[in-house]
Amino acid sequence: MFGKFPLSILGLTLGSILTIIGFIAYGMHNATLNLVGFFYGIPLVLGGLALKASELAPVPYSQPTPPAIVELREQQATPTQTKIRKDITRYCYGQQAHFDQALEYLELVPSDEDDIPIVTGLRETETDGAYTLILEFDSPYVPLSAWQEKQTKMVKYFGPDIDVRITPTGEDKLEVAFIKVLHTPAANPV
């Protein structure tokens, strides 16, 4: 429910309103509202600030998804593709970067955790009739060769019915395409 809306804003807004009500009630000698403002408002403000400090904004689409691709997604997208798309297009808290756990498992995180590759955008398209989810990475500390070495491990990790293709798009930039594998029906022996 709150994936598209930052919880930090909710905490800060409600906390600020209750705190202001508490201060006004204090000035008007209304002990009940004063307590509500101080006991609920201030902790909500502090909680909102804590969430804001650890907030990770959604990854933007680099281009709009055409209706034909949305229809293709609904027909072909694997659970893994759907989970990746939903996870990186929502607000997250307490993570260093979107996709960080997968990158750690794939050993694509340098020794300094601050140098993790960053997902800068995503887009949806089709490749030879198959639904394709493309993640765009800024990867200045992990070379393309390291990504290419892990391609087979990526195919196994993101698992059945997904092919992974890595394409360089510029200096320190690359795209990882998650392509739905289309199974052709076996020919009937005559």
Side-chain angles (χ1 to χ4, degrees), residues 65-76 124-126 129 131:
T65 304
I69 301 299
V70 172
E71 187 176 322
L72 190 63
R73 176 204 320 146
E74 292 169 359
Q75 294 170 359
Q76 295 183 2
E124 298 171 289
T125 187
E126 65 92 20
Y131 171 72

Side-chain angles (χ1 to χ4, degrees), residues 7-189:
L7 287 175
S8 59
I9 299 298
L10 181 65
L12 287 170
T13 303
L14 286 176
S16 297
I17 291 169
L18 289 174
T19 302
I20 290 169
I21 289 172
F23 279 114
I24 292 171
Y26 179 77
M28 297 175 69
H29 303 292
N30 187 334
T32 304
L33 282 178
N34 178 12
L35 289 175
V36 168
F38 289 123
F39 284 121
Y40 295 109
I42 291 173
L44 274 172
V45 167
L46 294 175
L49 288 171
L51 285 173
K52 191 68 174 167
S54 68
E55 185 174 272
L56 195 55
V59 174
Y61 280 86
S62 58
Q63 63 187 33
T65 304
I69 301 299
V70 172
E71 187 176 322
L72 190 63
R73 176 204 320 146
E74 292 169 359
Q75 294 170 359
Q76 295 183 2
T78 67
T80 302
Q81 287 172 317
T82 301
K83 184 175 182 341
I84 291 169
R85 182 179 48 81
K86 286 183 176 180
D87 280 351
I88 67 174
T89 57
R90 66 180 175 85
Y91 283 91
C92 297
Y93 299 92
Q95 291 180 319
Q96 186 176 2
H98 287 289
F99 222 56
D100 60 349
Q101 292 177 344
L103 293 172
E104 280 183 41
Y105 176 81
L106 295 167
E107 299 168 350
L108 290 169
V109 177
S111 58
D112 185 3
E113 297 270 330
D114 293 334
D115 298 337
I116 189 168
I118 302 296
V119 184
T120 57
L122 80 147
R123 67 181 190 278
E124 298 171 289
T125 187
E126 65 92 20
T127 305
D128 299 326
Y131 171 72
T132 304
L133 177 66
I134 299 174
L135 303 185
E136 301 162 1
F137 282 90
D138 186 11
S139 182
Y141 303 104
V142 180
L144 178 63
S145 59
W147 286 85
Q148 291 170 334
E149 288 172 13
K150 301 296 181 183
Q151 187 167 3
T152 303
K153 190 173 183 179
M154 285 183 198
V155 171
K156 290 178 185 173
Y157 180 73
F158 294 109
D161 300 329
I162 291 182
D163 187 23
V164 177
R165 292 187 192 157
I166 301 164
T167 309
T169 57
E171 188 174 333
D172 299 333
K173 297 188 182 304
L174 57 92
E175 293 179 345
V176 178
F178 299 94
I179 305 165
K180 164 73 173 164
V181 174
L182 299 175
H183 298 285
T184 55
N188 290 334

